[in-house]
Amino acid sequence: GQNIDQPTEMTATEGAIVQINCTYQTSGFNGLFWYQQHAGEAPTFLSYNVLDGLEEKGRFSSFLSRSKGYSYLLLKELQMKDSASYLCAASDSNYQLIWGAGTKLIIKP
Amino acid sequence: GAVVSQHPSRVICKSGTSVKIECRSLDFQATTMFWYRQFPKKSLMLMATSNEGSKATYEQGVEKDKFLINHASLTLSTLTVTSAHPEDSSFYICSARPGTDFYEQYFGPGTRLTVT
């Protein structure tokens, strides 16, 4: 079956770095997405990886290893506004997104 | 670019009534639109996939007669919750995928439905 696993909740300190991991199993693979979702709002796109390696975009970076079925989202210089849920989603052979349950990130001062 | 709107953003209705939610792609043509439901502190649950001009494909466990989806044009899809009950109260989110782009989905802002 198809499955996405990511931690339920993580806590980090303002200014620090946090890494949110995601493992996936899908029927076919057409890329891995990370979305940010603040409470009561729709998800917003953060990153897309389809090739192995690290994609850097400002304070946020995303890594993919296709052979391991593994990705992570790295957030640097954490700010209070980064407190949100981070959703990992894998695109399967039909380009349908398979969603993880999301990781709630709590930032403490 | 790539803006998706949803209307209404919030709606409260009485049990037994029907509610229509609109999803529009404002600056691109969406051959495929997706409807999701999200319960508090839970991830997105795909309800159905709709392609312009054809019937929607519903996920297992989603009642197609209760959640009517119409994708009448390349920029508009509607979800009608018929004979709503309190358990239908949820956050409904649509997303749209451009015909030329198979990997990106653009999300609407969501609709908070409360059935009393």
Side-chain angles (χ1 to χ4, degrees), chain A residues 69-102:
Chain A
Y70 166 70
S71 173
Y72 68 71
L73 180 69
L74 190 72
L75 293 78
K76 303 176 184 177
E77 301 169 18
L78 287 170
Q79 301 175 9
M80 297 304 293
K81 67 178 183 180
D82 297 330
S83 292
S85 286
Y86 291 86
L87 307 175
C88 172
S91 178
D92 69 8
S93 57
N94 295 318
Y95 297 94
Q96 181 166 309
L97 290 183
I98 311 301
W99 293 88

Side-chain angles (χ1 to χ4, degrees), chain A residues 7 10-11 19 26 31 33 43 45 49 56 66 77 81-82 84 93 95 99-100 108:
Chain A
M10 299 182 71
T11 302
Q19 177 174 311
T26 55
F33 294 82
F45 172 80
N49 295 66
E56 297 187 73
R66 293 178 66 137
E77 301 169 18
K81 67 178 183 180
D82 297 330
S93 57
Y95 297 94
W99 293 88
K108 294 185 175 180

Side-chain angles (χ1 to χ4, degrees), chain A residues 94 96, chain B residues 30-35 48-58 69-77 95 97-99 102:
Chain A
N94 295 318
Q96 181 166 309
Chain B
T31 54
T32 305
M33 286 185 168
F34 303 88
W35 286 98
T49 302
S50 75
N51 291 295
E52 185 266 337
S54 61
K55 290 184 178 180
T57 302
Y58 289 81
I69 292 172
N70 186 349
H71 192 160
S73 77
L74 285 171
T75 59
L76 173 65
S77 176
S95 69
R97 189 166 69 192
F102 279 97

Side-chain angles (χ1 to χ4, degrees), chain A residues 42, chain B residues 4-10 21-26 34-36 77 79 91-95 107-112:
Chain B
V4 176
S5 70
Q6 257 182 265
H7 177 80
S9 57
R10 289 179 181 272
I21 302 170
E22 291 187 350
C23 177
R24 293 181 185 272
S25 55
L26 298 185
F34 303 88
W35 286 98
Y36 293 90
S77 176
L79 167 68
F91 192 48
Y92 292 87
I93 307 172
C94 74
S95 69
F107 284 87
T111 297
R112 174 75 58 193

